[in-house]
Amino acid sequence: MIYLYDGTFPGLLTTLHRIFSSSGEPRAITTPERAPQELFARMEEVETDPELARRFLAAVERKTSRETVRNVHHAFLSEEPGIGLLLYRYLRHGRVLGNRLDRDLAHPVVREVHRWAQRVRREAHRMKGFIRFRELSDGLFYASIEPDFDILSLVEGHFAGRFAGHRWLIHDLKRKKGILSDGKGVLSGEIVLEGAAEFSESEPFWQDLWRRFFAEVAIPERKNLRLQQQHVPKKYRKNLTEMGKDGSS
Amino acid sequence: MPHPHTLEEKLSLLTAGARYDASCSSSGSTRKNPGGLGSGSLGGVCHSWSADGRCVSLLKILLTNLCIYDCAYCVNRRSNDIPRAILTPEEVAEITLNFYRRNCIEGLFLSTGIVRSPDHTMELLLRTVRLLREEHRFGGYIHLKVIPGADPLLVEEAARLADRVSVNIELPSEASLARVAPDKTRRAVLEPMRQTGDLIARSREERRKSRRAPSFAPAGQSTQLIIGASPESDLQILQLAESLYARMDLRRVYYSAFVPTVSDSRLPALPAPPLLREHRLYQADWLLRFYGFTAGELLEEEHPDFDQNFDPKAAWALRHLDRFPVEVQTAEYEELLRVPGIGVRSARRILKARRVRQLGFEELKGLGVVLKRARWFITAGGRYQQGIATDSPVIREHLLEYKPERPSSRPGPQQLDLFSDEVQAETKKAAITGEF
């Protein structure tokens, strides 16, 4: 049976609940866009039930651990094709090992789930450093990102905790969504851009000052561009003013 | 030389003057600041990486590069003919806050030259930090330098306002300090360090009883040693670091390869900064702090300097082959840590994973063990990995940190280039993660 869900986390949880409640092995757990085009495949479309999803996750935590729940959520955010099936196998193994699931590091499924979860967490952590804001003419601080994984929810708390008192927006260009704050609360949702952004009058001054600071920070006798490149992959450089248009600093 | 006037010019100059301080950490703060600008991030955040491969996480500047002292190694020394500038507390605050709002930094690292006297200088620094903390309610990270010889009341206030404080020893022995930086006495440097260590220890005790007890330097204190500007051996430097960790409640010792910025007869004329030596000291430092080694185990009077070709852990293992092999299924954590190729993370994973199933070499590889190094020193289920011979010269060959270039792969000279970018990148990565 091929299970189809809406691509959201509660959607996946609803689907997993359905699978565990029935017998038989799933062949694939995926979204309609990614579904294999087979004429005679048996497909079941699962309608997301948020309350059921919540209860399922709570039951998973009881049977395994909070760490397992974290891993399931973070691995899901990788958006990797096949992550649904992988997480099914992970939780099935969890039924056997219970709260020892995440200790079984030598098990290939456990290891794979951990790897994806760690990649997602790693990108979220790096994003806390690489997300850069620019002040717009209306006083909003705007940042755009193009992360590999869907990490917005993982950085929301970090920025909400430090940027009280002014309005800011982080825009995931790839996924056309973002998080917006008025300095107190945070909203997340779809973003549609209308027109080009206009920066505040002082914004070019601060961008220039940052570049000047950055230019003086390195000790010339210790120059090591390879090491610098290792730490800042090209995909993140677009957004960093100090790294210049061609990726050099 | 004309003195800089604009904010841009001053910032450029005062950034260049501060870059020789190696400390880059923004970790250790759990400061929360609801409603205000800025908070801590426990693990620290790297916002960028400079052209010398170092993490940029703080606005690292001097308040001024004016200085009444004349320390031989310092670019800001009194007798050096360079442009001088000073920033006002308001200017420092404005730059810090604007960079912070753009998420370019985690906070401020403020150092300075000495103006008029240590106390006067300390007060200038405190005025700036107070402005940020109290008027602007800034909750981001602040690393504040402590001036050697400053009054204890000022040192205490520095620790109260900042997340981390540091005072740099720079020269690893009293004799070297006296010859090269006579304005700073050993006592003047160690007194504030001792005082801060006491404050931190006491505040930790008090806060265990009451959350509202004042917090002093929650991210701890650190110091720096310059490597290669003076004749001390690696053993002497490591022993100094060891006793500082034991006695002064230091979070970190930083080792900074000497970069000749001014020529002086009291200093060696090095062709290049001793980066390999610095790297070995960082490796040894990690072994002291996380792997349970002592300085005396890593070096001895007869051989007081590190091997160029082997990292200190591998060198130790080669001298103590009688301690191996170690059986991964049953060995103690401390024993696993001594195996080259097993780092702290892999050792922890082994401990977890082996309770669930028997570990073979494939599993060990998946856990992050570097088998190329470790397989000479471990057994899994009583067996060595297939096909290895355990005599010493072969092991040495496999533990060499740098492989000589093969003749066919690249044109040009065949010698080992220890300072090539590639080699530096690899070794620096290991230094940062501490896994080896």
Side-chain angles (χ1 to χ4, degrees):
Chain A
M1 178 76 79
I2 296 176
Y3 289 88
L4 301 177
Y5 70 104
D6 65 1
T8 66
F9 191 47
L12 176 66
L13 296 174
T14 315
T15 310
L16 291 173
H17 177 266
R18 177 80 56 89
I19 297 171
F20 280 115
S21 313
S22 65
S23 57
E25 283 295 294
R27 257 187 62 205
I29 303 172
T30 185
T31 56
E33 307 86 60
R34 285 175 167 174
Q37 300 298 315
E38 290 168 31
L39 214 48
F40 295 109
R42 289 179 61 217
M43 299 211 197
E44 186 175 327
E45 238 184 286
V46 178
E47 197 180 309
T48 304
D49 183 338
E51 181 52 32
L52 191 66
R54 200 193 53 78
R55 278 190 279 132
F56 177 73
L57 201 59
V60 167
E61 182 167 343
R62 274 196 312 270
K63 291 195 188 125
T64 58
S65 67
R66 192 170 299 177
E67 186 185 345
T68 302
V69 166
R70 264 187 100 225
N71 288 331
V72 170
H73 181 213
H74 295 165
F76 169 76
L77 294 174
S78 71
E79 299 179 327
E80 178 69 9
I83 198 74
L85 195 59
L86 182 68
L87 288 173
Y88 161 73
R89 291 190 180 131
Y90 177 62
L91 290 179
R92 199 184 52 183
H93 193 50
R95 282 181 153 187
V96 176
L97 288 186
N99 67 359
R100 297 189 311 150
L101 176 61
D102 294 300
R103 272 190 232 146
D104 196 8
L105 301 166
H107 189 282
V109 169
V110 174
R111 206 167 73 209
E112 187 74 357
V113 169
H114 280 200
R115 287 228 176 103
W116 282 112
Q118 272 153 24
R119 279 185 199 135
V120 170
R121 286 195 280 263
R122 183 164 188 243
E123 183 172 59
H125 179 74
R126 288 169 105 182
M127 275 293 151
K128 289 179 187 169
F130 292 150
I131 291 177
R132 297 287 171 79
F133 294 88
R134 296 182 192 220
E135 191 184 19
L136 301 185
S137 49
D138 67 347
L140 176 76
F141 278 78
Y142 172 81
S144 64
I145 55 174
E146 288 174 280
D148 290 343
F149 309 125
D150 186 9
I151 47 89
L152 271 181
S153 61
L154 299 185
V155 301
E156 187 180 308
H158 172 85
F159 289 105
R162 61 176 49 188
F163 287 157
H166 67 261
R167 293 159 48 231
W168 51 271
L169 166 65
I170 303 176
H171 183 185
D172 182 337
L173 295 172
K174 269 188 188 171
R175 297 170 182 79
K176 299 188 173 52
K177 61 179 195 175
I179 51 179
L180 168 69
S181 173
D182 60 353
K184 297 188 202 91
V186 182
L187 286 173
S188 63
E190 258 182 62
I191 298 194
V192 175
L193 281 184
E194 287 171 10
E198 231 186 64
F199 296 122
S200 71
E201 261 194 71
S202 61
E203 186 56 33
F205 171 75
W206 293 111
Q207 293 297 324
D208 180 61
L209 203 64
W210 172 248
R211 267 191 295 267
R212 281 175 179 263
F213 166 74
F214 187 80
E216 295 299 329
V217 147
I219 295 174
E221 292 86 347
R222 294 184 67 128
K223 192 162 182 200
N224 190 341
L225 292 181
R226 199 188 206 115
L227 188 60
Q228 182 192 42
Q229 266 173 23
Q230 238 180 13
H231 286 296
V232 191
K234 291 231 164 82
K235 61 186 174 187
Y236 296 126
R237 288 173 176 237
K238 256 200 279 188
N239 211 23
L240 305 180
T241 37
E242 69 272 17
M243 295 273 170
K245 289 196 177 67
D246 56 357
S248 65
S249 52
Chain B
M1 260 194 225
H3 291 297
H5 294 300
T6 66
L7 190 63
E8 297 96 301
E9 287 169 339
K10 291 202 286 187
L11 183 64
S12 294
L13 185 65
L14 295 172
T15 304
R19 66 192 178 200
Y20 300 93
D21 196 310
S23 175
C24 58
S25 161
S26 57
S27 64
S29 171
T30 49
R31 187 183 298 269
K32 301 220 187 318
N33 191 16
L37 175 68
S39 63
S41 172
L42 192 58
V45 178
C46 283
H47 285 270
S48 192
W49 301 83
S50 50
D52 56 8
R54 300 189 295 169
C55 158
V56 178
S57 75
L58 301 172
L59 171 66
K60 189 188 292 183
I61 53 173
L62 301 176
L63 184 62
T64 178
N65 65 345
L66 290 157
C67 194
I68 56 175
Y69 293 168
D70 208 29
C71 308
Y73 54 82
C74 183
V75 68
N76 304 307
R77 71 192 231 185
R78 181 181 72 229
S79 58
N80 204 16
D81 184 19
I82 52 169
R84 308 275 174 171
I86 185 165
L87 287 168
T88 66
E90 288 75 18
E91 285 172 329
V92 174
E94 202 194 359
I95 300 173
T96 305
L97 296 172
N98 273 287
F99 283 175
Y100 193 85
R101 276 190 210 108
R102 287 163 176 79
N103 203 43
C104 296
I105 53 174
E106 284 302 289
L108 172 68
F109 176 113
L110 191 60
S111 181
T112 182
I114 313 298
V115 180
R116 227 183 281 171
S117 71
D119 282 354
H120 179 81
T121 310
M122 200 69 235
E123 270 168 357
L124 286 177
L125 291 175
L126 290 172
R127 204 180 300 164
T128 310
V129 177
R130 241 181 266 129
L131 181 62
L132 275 167
R133 284 285 193 237
E134 289 163 13
E135 268 190 55
H136 292 284
R137 288 188 61 204
F138 178 67
Y141 196 89
I142 296 181
H143 178 150
L144 187 59
K145 302 301 289 187
V146 165
I147 309 298
D151 186 283
L153 283 174
L154 300 175
V155 174
E156 181 166 334
E157 202 186 344
R160 191 178 59 80
L161 293 168
D163 292 285
R164 173 172 288 191
V165 297
S166 63
V167 55
N168 289 354
I169 293 175
E170 304 290 22
L171 281 314
S173 75
E174 192 162 11
S176 294
L177 196 61
R179 193 178 69 247
V180 161
D183 300 299
K184 293 194 242 199
T185 66
R186 183 166 175 261
R187 187 147 184 271
V189 173
L190 293 181
E191 261 315 299
M193 200 187 276
R194 203 169 284 131
Q195 180 193 356
T196 307
D198 288 340
L199 282 169
I200 291 174
R202 239 186 304 136
S203 129
R204 218 183 285 141
E205 270 311 302
E206 297 296 308
R207 281 174 74 80
R208 243 175 245 153
K209 303 173 196 156
S210 156
R211 263 325 196 67
R212 279 187 278 121
S215 181
F216 289 98
Q221 61 167 336
S222 59
T223 193
Q224 173 168 278
L225 298 172
I226 300 178
I227 307 305
S230 51
E232 293 82 11
S233 64
D234 290 341
L235 175 59
Q236 281 173 289
I237 294 169
L238 203 61
Q239 282 171 332
L240 172 59
E242 194 175 44
S243 70
L244 288 171
Y245 283 127
R247 299 210 196 111
M248 296 286 189
D249 213 322
L250 281 184
R251 190 69 64 93
R252 281 295 300 272
V253 174
Y254 289 95
Y255 308 90
S256 185
F258 175 53
V259 181
T261 51
V262 283
S263 62
D264 190 301
S265 55
R266 293 170 285 173
L267 296 169
L270 299 178
L275 296 178
L276 179 59
R277 205 178 161 204
E278 182 197 280
H279 173 55
R280 290 277 178 252
L281 279 161
Y282 273 119
Q283 288 179 318
D285 184 277
W286 240 268
L287 292 176
L288 294 184
R289 286 188 293 132
F290 299 116
Y291 289 77
F293 283 85
T294 64
E297 284 181 295
L298 297 172
L299 293 168
E300 50 183 14
E301 298 292 344
E302 294 80 52
H303 304 105
D305 292 307
F306 289 115
D307 195 312
Q308 289 232 338
N309 296 310
F310 296 103
D311 67 85
K313 186 172 164 187
W316 180 88
L318 288 171
R319 291 197 309 268
H320 294 92
L321 291 173
D322 53 301
R323 303 269 214 117
F324 299 101
V326 150
E327 167 53 50
V328 296
Q329 205 63 34
T330 54
E332 299 285 331
Y333 176 64
E334 293 74 21
E335 292 179 286
L336 290 172
L337 282 184
R338 297 219 164 201
V339 174
I342 297 183
V344 168
R345 266 180 272 177
S346 323
R348 287 200 191 130
R349 286 192 201 126
I350 289 174
L351 251 52
K352 270 192 187 176
R354 71 186 188 184
R355 286 159 74 180
V356 185
R357 64 181 69 241
Q358 186 80 18
L359 300 177
F361 286 94
E362 270 312 299
E363 284 82 13
L364 288 173
K365 189 165 171 211
L367 295 179
V369 171
V370 182
L371 282 180
K372 186 169 157 239
R373 288 160 57 88
R375 60 193 177 152
W376 309 97
F377 302 98
I378 56 174
T379 54
R383 289 204 171 83
Y384 277 102
Q385 194 180 33
Q386 279 223 338
I388 65 159
T390 56
D391 49 330
S392 196
V394 183
I395 303 177
R396 285 177 73 87
E397 171 68 29
H398 280 87
L399 289 177
L400 271 180
E401 197 169 51
Y402 310 114
K403 276 269 147 104
E405 300 248 289
R406 286 203 201 93
S408 54
S409 61
R410 245 186 246 187
Q414 302 302 308
Q415 65 194 91
L416 211 52
D417 184 357
L418 290 177
F419 297 109
S420 74
D421 282 353
E422 189 173 324
V423 158
Q424 278 191 62
E426 267 310 307
T427 58
K428 279 201 168 93
K429 202 162 157 199
I432 288 164
T433 62
E435 298 280 311
F436 61 116

